[in-house]
Amino acid sequence: MRLIEDHERLIYVDHAATTPVRAQAREAMIPHFAESFGNPSSLYALAQESRNAVDEARERVAGVLGCRTREVVFTSGGTESDNAAIKGTAHAMRKSGRHLVTTAIEHHAVIHSCEQLEDVGFDVTYVPPDATGIVDPEAVANAVRPQTVLVSVMLANNEVGSVQDVRTTSDLVKEKAAGLGTSVVFHSDAVQAAGKLSLDVDEMGVDLLSLSAHKVNGPKGVGALYVRRGTPIEPLIAGGGQERQRRSGTENVPGIVGFGVALELANEERHSFNDRCERLREQIVTGILERVPGAILNGHPQQRLSNIAHFSFQGVEGEPVLLGLDFAGISASSGSACSSASLEPSHVLIAMGMDPSLAVGSVRISLGIDNTQEDANAIMDVLPDVLRRLRAMPSLAARGPLS
Ligand SMILES: Cc1ncc(COP(=O)(O)O)c(C=O)c1O
């Protein structure tokens, strides 16, 4: 096994968890920490600079989404956007009905928001995916009832990278609702899809869309919720009425500025990003499947993100594998941020029908803008070696070296 010192730099392949802030976003943010620090709601010229910076960022985000600037609400990130979309719409529409439809493989920000609504009397249908992590659009539409007020289907899954056909799902859902004489709001979590897929909200047919800056080489703690004009939604956060009464709180001006720049660049560069990731991913997948006996590649073979390769390995737990990789200078993950901190199998893999004993032995490689051929080579060398050593020590493989 190679040790950390053998590498010129750490190999970071956990971009689905977070990404470094790119230089252009950092540079755009810096003036707004100290020099141009005014509160955008104040009246003097200094404040106007902040107001203009927020407006400019809103134009950048709206440009990527193909929407009006007034339909973009800045939030503290993907989690808040998902919470605001689900709970805000459910509460605004509670007199029309108390049923929601979502999928069993959503991020916990969506799943736990739905569970909170169940605690206060809403009913939620969780549509399961197939074994490749794809949710059938017809199954989602079939779950719609006269009481359904909201449907939420993520665009790309954060663990296995499977991409849903949001357009078809939204069309079928709206058709079904129209047939029932009701109307349904359609939300999609596009946090992982940003910078990889088109985010045109009209092409997708969505009313609400969640985004997060730190997945696209922007800063942490900032994101956006797209709200189509006329969509019923109650604000989750009440206060001074910022963001056109939809999200109170003094704006995170540097964060919003960095987000605007990062999202715009990620969207412009997405074709070349996808080409490069596709090439590296293909090599990693082929290399690992060839070199590791019993390795399983998860997710849909085509309908997926370019940058995620998710494997399961029989007879090992993810944690010792990740520690072995870390020891060799490679930062990867088991999948979701939550499940990487526990030995619970991922809800996504379980929903895909995977045996829990196999699900706990999972590793996600998620590529980003700085990964190189050398990184792919190192992964193909080190990961099989780590697995070989762990499999030779069954008690270590099962328990993890630190337990
Ligand atoms: C699909 C998805 N939705 C929502 C989130 C939450 O985003 P944030 O970290 O900005 O709160 C994440 C982050 O992992 C995600 O992958």
Side-chain angles (χ1 to χ4, degrees):
M1 193 187 302
R2 285 198 239 175
L3 295 179
I4 224 163
E5 298 90 276
D6 293 341
H7 295 302
E8 278 177 23
R9 61 185 178 93
L10 285 183
I11 295 175
Y12 182 82
V13 281
D14 198 15
H15 294 86
T18 196
T19 58
V21 180
R22 66 194 300 161
Q24 298 96 322
R26 276 199 313 264
E27 278 155 27
M29 291 169 75
I30 287 167
H32 298 283
F33 285 108
E35 221 173 284
S36 193
F37 65 91
N39 184 325
S41 299
S42 301
L43 287 176
Y44 34 78
L46 179 72
Q48 195 58 45
E49 286 174 22
S50 301
R51 168 61 46 208
N52 291 345
V54 170
D55 287 347
E56 199 182 306
R58 203 184 304 281
E59 277 166 26
R60 292 181 196 274
V61 175
V64 171
L65 302 182
C67 71
R68 300 175 186 85
T69 49
R70 54 178 50 202
E71 293 172 314
V72 174
V73 180
F74 289 117
T75 66
S76 66
T79 300
E80 187 190 322
S81 297
D82 284 343
N83 273 260
I86 309 268
K87 292 185 238 173
T89 301
H91 284 298
M93 294 181 75
R94 64 189 178 280
K95 294 210 172 74
S96 318
R98 287 173 165 246
H99 177 242
L100 281 71
V101 179
T102 187
T103 81
I105 56 166
E106 297 295 314
H107 189 269
H108 281 133
V110 168
I111 302 244
H112 292 330
S113 293
C114 288
E115 287 170 354
Q116 284 188 324
L117 288 171
E118 286 181 289
D119 289 343
V120 295
F122 284 82
D123 196 11
V124 183
T125 304
Y126 300 90
V127 181
D130 66 13
T132 67
I134 299 294
V135 178
D136 178 9
E138 298 247 9
V140 176
N142 287 341
V144 171
R145 314 172 188 160
Q147 303 79 20
T148 308
V149 290
L150 178 86
V151 172
S152 179
V153 175
M154 74 196 322
L155 183 51
N157 181 264
N158 47 299
E159 295 190 33
V160 295
S162 299
V163 171
Q164 308 304 329
D165 185 349
V166 165
R167 175 73 220 207
T168 304
T169 312
S170 153
D171 283 350
L172 292 177
V173 160
K174 302 244 162 173
E175 213 176 282
K176 174 81 183 285
L180 294 169
T182 60
S183 69
V184 166
V185 171
F186 197 100
H187 167 249
S188 186
D189 176 338
V191 166
Q192 291 292 340
K196 289 118 207 159
L197 304 175
S198 162
L199 296 179
D200 188 300
V201 289
D202 289 336
E203 275 174 20
M204 271 186 275
V206 297
D207 304 306
L208 299 165
L209 189 91
S210 300
L211 292 173
S212 175
H214 74 105
K215 310 289 186 179
V216 288
N217 298 97
K220 292 170 185 57
V222 59
L225 179 64
Y226 158 75
V227 182
R228 186 177 290 280
R229 188 165 61 173
T231 304
I233 186 162
E234 273 180 17
L236 197 66
I237 299 180
Q242 288 89 346
E243 295 296 289
R244 303 168 57 80
Q245 309 288 335
R246 288 172 303 189
R247 199 281 186 183
S248 288
T250 301
E251 298 86 341
N252 170 5
V253 180
I256 288 170
V257 167
F259 175 35
V261 170
L263 182 70
E264 190 174 67
L265 286 170
N267 192 57
E268 275 169 19
E269 295 170 5
R270 74 189 151 88
H271 296 295
S272 58
F273 173 86
N274 285 336
D275 287 348
R276 211 165 40 76
C277 285
E278 202 57 69
R279 237 185 357 261
L280 294 178
R281 180 192 177 278
E282 198 51 46
Q283 292 176 21
I284 294 170
V285 167
T286 310
I288 297 304
L289 294 182
E290 263 174 24
R291 296 177 200 186
V292 181
I296 294 167
L297 177 68
N298 300 312
H300 195 277
Q302 289 92 36
Q303 211 176 311
R304 56 164 178 78
L305 294 178
S306 61
N307 67 322
I308 293 184
H310 189 282
F311 301 97
S312 292
F313 305 107
Q314 195 82 59
V316 293
E317 280 177 0
E319 191 173 299
V321 180
L322 299 176
L323 292 173
L325 288 175
D326 187 33
F327 188 64
I330 299 174
S331 312
S333 145
S334 64
S336 72
C338 292
S339 56
S340 66
S342 71
L343 291 178
E344 284 295 298
S346 129
H347 69 286
V348 173
L349 299 178
I350 297 299
M352 287 163 59
M354 189 179 289
D355 192 86
S357 67
L358 185 57
V360 293
S362 298
V363 172
R364 178 186 68 190
I365 306 288
S366 52
L367 302 169
I369 54 177
D370 292 329
N371 286 125
T372 60
Q373 182 65 56
E374 288 71 47
D375 298 348
N377 296 344
I379 291 163
M380 289 187 283
D381 278 353
V382 174
L383 183 53
D385 199 26
V386 169
L387 285 159
R388 215 171 8 254
R389 283 161 189 259
L390 285 170
R391 280 173 168 169
M393 298 179 279
S395 59
L396 200 59
R399 283 202 334 269
L402 299 179
S403 60

